Amino acid sequence: MAVKVAPARYQPAAQPGSRSTGRAERRFWLTMQTVMLIVGVLLVNLLLFFPPLGIALMWNLLIPIAPALVTISPGLWRNICPMATFHLLPNKMGISQNIRMPEWGAATLAVIGVTLLFIVVPMRRIGLNVDGPLTALMLLSAAFMAFAMGSVFEMRSGWCTSLCPIHPVERLYGTNPALTFKNARCNICEACSNPCPDSTPELTPTAGVPTKVQQFLGNFLIGSFPGFVWGWFQVPDYPPQQVGHAEIITAYVWPFGAAIISYILFKIGEHVLRYKPASRTRMHRIFAAAAISTYYWYRLPGPASLLPDWFPLVSHLVTTPFFFWFLVLRNPKVSWLKRPVMASNYWSSRFESTANKNLIRVSPGKA
């Protein structure tokens, strides 16, 4: 007996007009994304043509604000990040190939992202902190890479959730956000990343990573980062023309040496608490709090020369207890962003034209 099934038009679970944000919210977030993109373009121009001002804005204002932002509300940053805007431009322009990121590809890019983090941060001491054009070249290279990845892979899977070297820090500091927002980047969730970092509560560097290499690097990031941050602040800035082998060795030995000591202490703690998973989780948060507290112990937004002599002491008494309370004592409740409505589990909107021409839709469980 032959059974004929009439082809049906593609119908995702979410209707085409459904969005995660309303019209007024979309205008607001689009305005914020445009403003941040303009700020990024202006910053690159300042770094190229007015290096002292560009360096002051980049390293003395914007970057010192970033750790606190991704700790308190990483979703806000994810909604307005200019690199994410560059990454999604090919999709908005309709030129992205929208290839689904394979699991092995996401794992490989994530490893590269963590590696880039540990390579680029010491590079600030041997040129980036004092050389405007070099910093501009770094930003342009990252923007080009984000655009290129967005031209190939679907949605945010190529850069924002995989290759971006800031993403591991987001996962480290953003485990317990205070604020969450609607996802201004995704109208319908196509599950481009699993787990989705924006929609997964209590996300950590080791959560949802499938390979042993990712597990090790995530574990190493948690345990080593307090020492890495402390060691980085023990190195002075070297102008590029004065950088030699000794300066390069110094720029990397201090942070990595301290990172190894920190990681050893972390592994000792994990061994002691190996039968107490809740205590181990709390210890992970303690190390994350130690890392960001160490950062703000040494660095605050704005020119240090303009701050009064008593300000650093007051800052130490405020920032360290605050971040330990924020990350360690509070109970995680929300994800970075609210997940938008899910698309069909069996169909994805990028296959719509193919589905309408060639495929047959059969409801699950139906013969």
Side-chain angles (χ1 to χ4, degrees):
M1 181 178 64
V3 177
K4 296 182 179 181
V5 182
R9 286 192 59 79
Y10 166 84
Q11 293 180 341
Q15 296 304 313
S18 63
R19 290 176 178 267
S20 58
T21 56
R23 183 176 299 177
E25 291 174 302
R26 290 200 300 275
R27 284 199 296 263
F28 170 78
W29 287 116
L30 181 60
T31 301
M32 292 293 294
Q33 292 164 6
T34 304
V35 168
M36 290 299 297
L37 191 61
I38 293 172
V39 168
V41 173
L42 291 176
L43 180 60
V44 168
N45 280 274
L46 288 174
L47 289 166
L48 288 172
F49 304 108
F50 302 96
L53 180 57
I55 289 172
L57 291 175
M58 174 77 177
W59 301 122
N60 294 336
L61 182 61
L62 298 178
I63 295 303
I65 293 175
L69 179 60
V70 300
T71 300
I72 296 171
S73 183
L76 174 61
W77 174 247
R78 300 274 292 183
N79 269 350
I80 64 175
C81 172
M83 289 298 174
T85 303
F86 268 107
H87 181 47
L88 291 173
L89 264 182
N91 185 277
K92 301 295 184 182
M93 298 166 61
I95 61 174
S96 175
Q97 298 181 46
N98 282 328
I99 297 175
R100 176 163 288 271
M101 176 67 69
E103 185 176 289
W104 64 266
T108 302
L109 292 176
V111 170
I112 295 174
V114 176
T115 305
L116 285 175
L117 171 67
F118 282 107
I119 292 175
V120 172
V121 171
M123 285 179 62
R124 288 184 54 185
R125 293 302 195 188
I126 52 177
L128 293 178
N129 275 3
V130 294
D131 191 305
L134 190 61
T135 302
L137 178 61
M138 178 197 69
L139 294 177
L140 290 172
S141 300
F144 173 78
M145 184 60 66
F147 186 88
M149 298 300 285
S151 300
V152 177
F153 297 105
E154 68 173 346
M155 294 306 292
R156 308 178 73 176
S157 61
W159 174 265
C160 297
T161 64
S162 300
L163 186 58
C164 174
I166 305 301
H167 183 56
V169 182
E170 293 174 341
R171 294 174 71 120
L172 177 65
Y173 291 162
T175 58
N176 194 4
L179 301 172
T180 188
F181 299 90
K182 291 184 177 180
N183 194 320
R185 302 286 189 183
C186 306
N187 296 326
I188 296 176
C189 180
E190 298 284 358
C192 63
S193 299
N194 187 27
C196 172
D198 292 311
S199 307
T200 305
E202 299 185 62
L203 189 72
T204 67
T206 57
V209 292
T211 68
K212 292 183 178 180
V213 174
Q214 283 180 280
Q215 283 285 345
F216 169 76
L217 286 178
N219 201 261
F220 180 77
L221 178 68
I222 297 171
S224 68
F225 217 57
F228 185 80
V229 173
W230 180 86
W232 185 84
F233 278 105
Q234 311 312 308
V235 182
D237 290 331
Y238 298 108
Q241 61 271 18
Q242 298 179 7
V243 173
H245 292 92
E247 288 75 19
I248 295 175
I249 292 173
T250 301
Y252 282 92
V253 165
W254 268 101
F256 275 100
I260 291 172
I261 295 173
S262 176
Y263 182 65
I264 291 173
L265 296 175
F266 174 76
K267 294 304 291 184
I268 292 173
E270 282 213 318
H271 179 75
V272 172
L273 302 174
R274 61 189 181 279
Y275 301 121
K276 300 179 179 179
S279 298
R280 288 179 61 191
T281 299
R282 187 170 294 274
M283 186 188 70
H284 288 193
R285 292 193 210 165
I286 289 174
F287 270 75
I292 191 170
S293 297
T294 301
Y295 180 85
Y296 283 111
W297 186 276
Y298 289 98
R299 191 70 182 94
L300 292 170
S305 59
L306 300 181
L307 299 176
D309 295 337
W310 51 263
F311 193 84
L313 177 60
V314 173
S315 172
H316 299 162
L317 295 176
V318 172
T319 57
T320 300
F322 169 78
F323 285 116
F324 270 88
W325 165 79
F326 191 89
L327 288 172
V328 179
L329 301 181
R330 293 170 60 251
N331 292 322
K333 295 180 180 179
V334 299
S335 58
W336 297 352
L337 296 169
K338 296 177 182 178
R339 185 188 292 273
V341 64
M342 293 291 292
S344 169
N345 291 330
Y346 298 91
W347 303 95
S348 179
S349 59
R350 70 188 190 283
F351 293 138
E352 180 172 3
S353 60
T354 304
N356 290 335
K357 293 178 181 178
N358 306 321
L359 301 181
I360 298 173
R361 180 180 176 86
V362 180
S363 299
K366 300 289 185 180

